[in-house]
Amino acid sequence: MTAKRSAGLLLYRHTDGGLEVLLGHMGGPFFAKKDAGAWGVPKGEYEPEEETAWDAARREFQEELGLPPPDGEAVELGEVRQTNGKVVTAWAIEADLDPATIDPGTFRMEWPPKSGNVQEFPELDRVEWFGLDRARAVIVKAQAAFLDRLAEHSG
């Protein structure tokens, strides 16, 4: 069985306090009270035979945040394999975005489990700008490599 694949865009900006990245907090009941490991690059799954990773990253940004992906030079951040086996490909783009402007996509799931009730939840319940140290403390562990690669590029 081949691993599931996701692609996403990591926005970054330079501030007086240093480099910051925009991360999304995963929506839904499993992550509602979690911080560490519940943040990540806005991304989503794609089928490599149906679209390129770059096209998927841009499409997923729109779906996850409800905003068009920014234009600008895309910095390839490569791939990581998460503990669940999913392979994530990411690019970084320098852009500023007001987190209050997002209009996240939603997903539906049975909640509580085995209740027969289907509820709708946001894909991302919030997005925030983080300095790299704070981002490393909350991002999905495997995705921290993207932060290191961005720091190398921006250094």
Side-chain angles (χ1 to χ4, degrees), residues 40-81:
V41 174
K43 62 172 182 47
E45 290 184 9
Y46 72 100
E47 297 295 332
E49 51 282 343
E50 294 175 17
E51 69 182 326
T52 67
W54 172 247
D55 288 340
R58 292 181 58 79
R59 174 183 52 77
E60 286 292 339
F61 186 92
Q62 175 86 44
E63 289 178 12
E64 298 266 320
L65 301 181
L67 300 169
D71 293 323
E73 179 190 352
V75 177
E76 285 189 56
L77 299 177
E79 294 181 345
V80 298
R81 183 178 295 271

Side-chain angles (χ1 to χ4, degrees), residues 23-26 30-41 83 125-126 128 130 133-144 147:
L23 300 180
H25 185 270
M26 291 179 255
F30 297 121
F31 298 100
K33 294 185 166 102
K34 291 187 170 105
D35 198 38
W39 294 83
V41 174
T83 55
D125 58 19
R126 62 191 184 276
E128 289 181 26
F130 290 92
D133 288 343
R134 177 78 178 119
R136 281 187 187 93
V138 298
I139 198 168
V140 171
K141 191 171 185 169
Q143 292 181 29
L147 304 177

